[in-house]
Each structure stands twice: as C-alpha cells, then as structure tokens.
C-alpha cells in the first residue's frame, strides 16, 4: 500500500521548491520505507535545481536524510521497523569497485544516483495526480516525508545519537571527513591545507584534527567561516588571495603534505596542487559543472606529487557513518556547531540562506 506524504518538488529550472502531496510506493523485496526526521541541504541539491546536473523537473531532490524505518521488504534481513538510519548514496554492490571496497566509485554511480529512477527505470514517487516524479536522487530523495530506498543505502546508527542532526553524515560530513581520514589518510603530524570552509571543508578540518595533522590550514574568502575553522581545530586561517600559496608555503616551510579542494574550481585545484611539497597529495571533492579544465605544471607533477578525485570520501558508508556517529557522541566530531535548523516548510528560506552564506549546513526538520 502506498504511503501518503509531503515532498518539496521542483517544477522548473532554478524555480522554487513546492510543498506538495505525494504518494510513495511500497518497498520492494530489497528496499525499506523510511519516515524522514530531518534532511540536510547540500550544494549538489542546488546545482541540480539549476540543472547543472540531472535529473530534470519535476523532481524530488535531497540526499542527506535521516529517519526511522517503518517497513522492510521481504528480502531485508539487517534492518527492522523502528531502526534509526542515515541514508547514503546508492551503489550496485556487484561491480569491481564495489567488490573491492570502493562503492562510491561504483561503475553505475551516475545512473543510480542522478538518473531520477530505480535501475529498472521505475519510480516509487508520484504526485497527487498520479504523475511520475523524478526521484530516487542519491538513492533517496530525502526532501520527502517518506522515502523508499535500497536497504544497501540505509545505514543503521545508534538510537542514542540525535537523529535530527545526523542526515549530513550521509553526504557532506562523510565527504569532507572521509576525504581526509580515508582517501588521503595523512599520518599524525602531517601538514594539510583545506581550500573552502563550507560544510565539506569544515568536515575535512574536523577530520584532520582527528587524524592528528599539524599544521591544519583553512583557506576561504569568508572571515566568519575562517573563524569557525579555527574554532573547530584549524591552526591557521588564510584569506583566499593571489598570494595564498605563498602564505601556505611560509607556514609549512615549503609546502603542505596534503591539500584538499572543497570548492571545485580550476583556480582552487591549481592552488591546492601548487601548495604541495615534493611528494605531496592533493584531493578534489568540490563538485561543479561538467567541462571545466585545469592546467598543472608538468615538472611540478613529475616530482612525486599526486592529484586524486574523491567521491563521498571514498568510504564504505555502512562502516564510516557509524564511526562518525561514535566520534560525535564522544565530542570528537562536533559538526553540530555548523548546523542551522529550519522547519521543512521553510525549505526555500533554508536554500536562500545556504546560497547567501548565512548558513553553513542547513538542516530541514520534518
């Protein structure tokens, strides 16, 4: 039996989110029905609204959902009604990358998460007139009071954790912290610079603190966000400018061991790469429009420097998200400091505040 609920639907490119009545179908054998408690708003939601990336309207977006399992399919054995879950991106479980522990590099990542439907082309989401809605965004479409997701995308977490805060662990926090703790894996005492002090960059700063990096340098245009980076553990704050690389080299004595670009522009990736010392590694986690290119000095690259793209922290969500929950409960991953809460019905205000920089991580409460 379908579940009736409310969802925020985009009907046109760059248009507002409309709160509408929707129907969400029953979970299939390998799926679960989740009542969403809260959902973060991510930069990717905004660029999809603006059609920089698919799917097109009408669509239900949202991909940082947390909630309570209400029903499970006949083939689901690890989850039960009442379980608290954080929702993570979808992966196929069968390709080479999934099998070797890199599901965020799944061969089918793009169609499964940006295709607007299940792998077989069907959808569980319809509007009040029976019209199909592009959904299953990142396997979930969490801007909806109820979602149907693959059991693979629902990560059980401790019911001692504040569920209304946990949604961002499924994307933004996992991406930043995972990029540092898992993909880059700096040894204690390594120097690191993070370009961009938004939600992902600040998660990376918190990850660098956990890893024992020193110094930890944050780079941004926004002074208040640099202040937050310092509060969260950055040892140095650098105002983004043409001489940012020189400032980083001065702090590190020649260049950083690791750099992370959480902005996703050719200029910031070039700076992240140039700021490395010999043998250093730069990671890219910032997402932007297709077709952008960056130029790198070949001789600079030749001397042992590495550049790597990192999707969702290159983690295994079912392992890494519970780890972040435990770190938060112990006070070691205080991401609640960057969260600003909004009622679900105020989604357009929350999006506007995110775009204007008035909120670092907006979370919708259902």
């Amino acid at each position: 039996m379908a579940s009736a609920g409310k969802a925020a639907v985009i009907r046109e490119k760059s248009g507002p989110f409309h709160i509408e009545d929707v129907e969400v179908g029953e979970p299939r054998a390998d799926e679960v029905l989740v009542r969403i408690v809260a959902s973060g708003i991510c930069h990717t939601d905004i660029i999809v609204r603006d059609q920089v990336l698919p799917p097109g309207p009408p669509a239900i977006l949202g991909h940082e959902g947390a909630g309570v399992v209400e029903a499970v399919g006949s083939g689901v054995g690890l989850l039960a009604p009442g379980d608290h879950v954080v929702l993570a991106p979808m992966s196929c479980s069968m390709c080479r990358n999934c099998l070797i522990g890199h599901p965020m590099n799944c061969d089918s990542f793009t169609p499964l998460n940006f295709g607007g439907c299940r792998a077989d082309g069907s959808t569980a989401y319809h509007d009040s007139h029976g019209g199909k809605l592009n959904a299953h965004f990142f396997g979930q479409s969490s801007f909806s009071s109820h979602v149907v997701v693959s059991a693979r995308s629902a990560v059980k977490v401790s019911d001692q954790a504040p569920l209304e805060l946990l949604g961002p662990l499924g994307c933004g926090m996992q991406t930043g912290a995972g990029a540092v703790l898992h993909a880059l894996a700096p040894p204690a005492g390594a120097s690191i610079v993070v370009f961009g002090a938004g939600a992902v960059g600040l998660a990376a700063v918190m990850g660098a603190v956990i890893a024992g990096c020193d110094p930890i340098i944050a780079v941004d245009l926004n002074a208040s966000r640099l202040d937050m980076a310092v509060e969260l553990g950055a040892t140095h704050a650098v105002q983004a400018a043409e001489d940012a690389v020189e400032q980083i080299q001065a702090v590190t004595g020649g260049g950083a061991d690791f750099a992370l670009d959480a902005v996703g522009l050719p200029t910031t990736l070039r700076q992240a790469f140039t700021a490395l010392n010999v043998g250093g590694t730069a990671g890219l986690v910032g997402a932007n429009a297709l077709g952008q290119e960056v130029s790198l000095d070949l001789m600079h690259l030749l001397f042992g420097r590495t550049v790597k793209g990192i999707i969702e922290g290159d983690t295994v969500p079912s392992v890494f998200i519970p780890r972040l929950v435990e770190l938060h409960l112990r006070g070691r991953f205080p991401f609640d400091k960057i969260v600003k809460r909004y009622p679900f019905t105020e989604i357009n205000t929350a999006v506007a505040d995110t775009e204007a920089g008035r909120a670092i991580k907006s979370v919708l409460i259902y």
Side-chain angles (χ1 to χ4, degrees), residues 118-173:
R118 295 184 177 104
D120 64 2
S122 66
T123 180
Y125 300 81
H126 296 80
D127 63 23
S128 59
H129 304 292
K132 291 183 179 180
L133 296 167
N134 282 325
H136 300 278
F137 183 56
F138 277 75
Q140 55 186 280
S141 286
S142 60
F143 292 164
S144 176
S145 60
H146 291 78
V147 299
V148 165
V149 302
S150 167
R152 182 173 173 82
S153 291
V155 178
K156 184 177 178 180
V157 295
S158 169
D159 58 10
Q160 300 302 306
L163 193 55
E164 69 277 6
L165 281 177
L166 300 187
L169 298 181
C171 183
M173 300 298 100

Side-chain angles (χ1 to χ4, degrees), residues 162-257:
L163 193 55
E164 69 277 6
L165 281 177
L166 300 187
L169 298 181
C171 183
M173 300 298 100
Q174 173 176 235
T175 295
V180 174
L181 293 171
H182 191 265
L184 296 179
S191 57
I192 188 168
V193 55
V194 178
F195 287 81
V200 172
L202 292 173
V205 168
M206 288 183 275
V209 173
I210 294 167
C213 293
D214 186 25
I216 301 169
I217 306 166
V219 182
D220 202 282
L221 288 167
N222 188 312
S224 65
R225 293 197 173 191
L226 289 175
D227 290 341
M228 178 56 72
V230 171
E231 181 177 342
L232 292 172
T235 60
H236 296 78
V238 172
Q239 188 77 22
E242 290 185 2
D243 67 342
V245 170
E246 287 78 7
Q247 294 184 60
I248 293 162
Q249 291 171 336
V251 171
T252 57
D257 299 317

Side-chain angles (χ1 to χ4, degrees), residues 83-100:
D83 284 346
H84 289 195
V85 291
V86 171
L87 305 183
M90 183 61 175
S91 56
C92 75
S93 80
M94 298 178 291
C95 72
R96 177 180 60 88
N97 283 330
C98 283
L99 291 173
I100 63 174

Side-chain angles (χ1 to χ4, degrees), residues 25-49:
E26 293 182 22
R28 293 179 173 180
D30 61 347
E31 295 177 331
V32 297
L33 175 70
V34 177
R35 174 179 59 82
I36 296 295
V37 170
S39 176
I41 294 174
C42 179
H43 173 67
T44 306
D45 296 312
I46 295 172
I47 63 176
V48 172
R49 177 206 63 182

Side-chain angles (χ1 to χ4, degrees), residues 313-366:
D314 192 22
T315 69
V316 177
S318 60
V319 175
F320 192 67
I321 290 174
R323 179 184 176 192
L324 289 181
V325 170
E326 289 304 315
L327 286 166
H328 175 69
L329 290 174
R330 295 177 186 179
R332 298 188 63 200
F333 191 68
F335 73 99
D336 54 298
K337 291 184 178 181
I338 65 172
V339 167
K340 185 175 182 180
R341 306 184 196 193
Y342 299 80
F344 173 56
T345 53
E346 293 183 13
I347 182 172
N348 288 305
T349 299
V351 169
D353 286 354
T354 300
E355 291 183 287
R358 292 186 291 268
I360 299 175
K361 173 52 68 176
S362 300
V363 172
L364 304 172
I365 307 298
Y366 291 72

